[in-house]
Amino acid sequence: MASKRSAVDPFRAMDVLSEANRMAARGLDVISLAVGQPAAPAPKLSIAAAQAMLAHGRIAYTDALGRSSLRERIARHYAERYGCAVDPARVMVTTGSSAGFALAFLAAFDAGERVAIAAPGYPAYRNILRALGLVPAEIEVDAADGYILTAERLAAEHAREPVAGVLIASPANPTGTMTPRDELERLVRFCDEAGIRFISDEIYHGLTYGEAEETALAFSQAPIVVNSFSKYYCMTGWRCGWMVLPSSLVRAAERIGQSLYISAPEMSQVAAQAAFDATSELEAVRETYVRNRRVMTERLPMLGFSDIAPIDGAFYAYARVPAGEGSATDFARRILDTCHVAITPGLDFDLRRGEQFVRLSYACDEASLIRALDRMAAGRA
């Protein structure tokens, strides 16, 4: 018998990707808009750094907190990008942001405590919290409020039943919504005053298309910040991310990380450090998302999608299924079977209202996106 803690929902985007991969293995031309994975390779400087390390031959454990040179470079990144001073001693390199969330939840909360998250939201938040014996307190947001979880809404939930923490993603997955700087500051200040641990998911920083993103560290030293080399830096499979922790939690996270992961892969850490010097190459990749975003904005309404979330950042469109197409799960299944285009049903992100929505990723190249939308248009003709 499996444990009760393992009874979490599937990560449906990964299930869709698995099916798309099986179809591709049978020789079918499948275009995946299902997962948030850049089509671009890792930066050339990162690949060169990894190749040099392979030539050296020895790839080993590092400290559980990560290579000191990478931690120092991450700290410098905060000074350069946000004007924030971060002590490298507060930086922990993680096995992707996924490990960062698990370590943050384990270090900051006790079993049974409630942690507020937005719905729709990234499903792994909910699933990891439940697997660790924590209680996700989902606060519904929608098109009427710009899909933003505000300090006012958080305060109301905390008054109804206290929460020990809150996790805010900006830009958000699946909606691409940015939390405005003023609202982010209100959230952080409220949490500091109320004794609520603030966790800031900043993995889509660098991928914004209007107002520049802000780090929660601009307003307080108390938040836990989680980031990753997967999205802007195009290094999903390298499994390397980082956290900035308040000083009081560094040793706790280090102790847990020593036993759960030992360390993030050393070669990935070396490659990740090189990525900070690949800005021109990465900005060229970002420009493909700018073009793809424009295509999405123009084409989705023509295909019958509505209530499209603000595509302020990241590389997703979250939209209501066209009228007459039934549930999002059935619609996504038909699109995959008949059009050979993989998209993710909204049930992944919102357990109550998700069957009305789908998420489409535009992290692919522009030609593939246009072909995918053309196929969907033909399939609905």
Side-chain angles (χ1 to χ4, degrees), residues 37-75:
Q37 176 161 256
K44 292 182 178 65
L45 287 173
S46 297
I47 294 172
Q51 288 172 332
M53 190 166 197
L54 279 173
H56 179 268
R58 185 172 187 273
I59 301 169
Y61 296 138
T62 72
D63 293 348
L65 291 175
R67 288 170 61 99
S68 59
S69 60
L70 176 55
R71 296 169 67 205
E72 289 165 3
R73 185 64 186 85
I74 290 168

Side-chain angles (χ1 to χ4, degrees), residues 12 36 60 100 120 228 234 246 249 315 340 355 370 379:
R12 294 173 180 85
S228 171
C234 302
L249 291 182
F315 34 53
H340 297 168
E355 283 290 23
I370 292 172

Side-chain angles (χ1 to χ4, degrees), residues 1 9 26 30 44 85 98 125 128 131 138 153 168 177 183 217 233 273 285 298 343 347 352 362 378:
M1 295 280 295
D9 294 314
R26 298 200 303 269
V30 179
K44 292 182 178 65
S98 300
Y125 301 152
I128 296 171
E138 297 189 76
R153 294 288 304 283
I168 298 291
T177 303
E183 190 60 50
L217 298 174
Y233 298 96
Q273 184 172 334
V285 174
E298 293 173 355
I343 61 177
L347 193 61
R352 193 178 74 84
Y362 55 90

Side-chain angles (χ1 to χ4, degrees), residues 204-363:
Y204 293 101
H205 276 207
L207 301 177
T208 59
Y209 312 110
E211 179 184 351
E213 69 273 15
E214 184 60 273
T215 178
L217 298 174
F219 312 115
S220 171
Q221 298 302 302
I224 299 172
V225 167
V226 179
N227 208 322
S228 171
F229 292 96
S230 290
K231 308 301 182 179
Y232 176 75
Y233 298 96
C234 302
M235 297 178 69
T236 53
W238 297 76
R239 308 314 302 133
C240 195
W242 76 84
M243 291 192 295
V244 180
L245 295 150
S247 299
S248 60
L249 291 182
V250 172
R251 181 55 178 160
E254 181 182 23
R255 290 196 306 266
I256 298 166
Q258 287 170 339
S259 294
L260 287 184
Y261 308 107
I262 298 182
S263 68
E266 186 181 32
M267 188 166 70
S268 295
Q269 293 188 52
V270 169
Q273 184 172 334
F276 282 114
D277 296 321
T279 302
S280 60
E281 183 179 353
L282 295 170
E283 282 298 299
V285 174
R286 179 186 170 278
E287 284 303 309
T288 67
Y289 305 148
V290 172
R291 294 192 295 272
N292 286 354
R293 175 177 179 265
R294 187 179 306 118
V295 171
M296 281 292 206
T297 302
E298 293 173 355
R299 295 286 302 273
L300 289 183
M302 297 168 59
L303 291 171
F305 291 97
S306 60
D307 289 341
I308 302 168
I311 312 177
D312 299 329
F315 34 53
Y316 306 111
Y318 190 71
R320 186 180 294 275
V321 172
E325 292 289 356
S327 73
T329 297
D330 291 342
F331 177 63
R333 179 78 258 176
R334 282 197 305 277
I335 292 296
L336 183 58
D337 289 342
T338 62
C339 303
H340 297 168
V341 175
I343 61 177
T344 303
L347 193 61
D348 228 10
F349 314 102
D350 188 334
L351 294 177
R352 193 178 74 84
R353 303 165 298 171
E355 283 290 23
Q356 303 171 56
F357 293 85
V358 291
R359 187 194 72 176
L360 305 93
S361 169
Y362 55 90

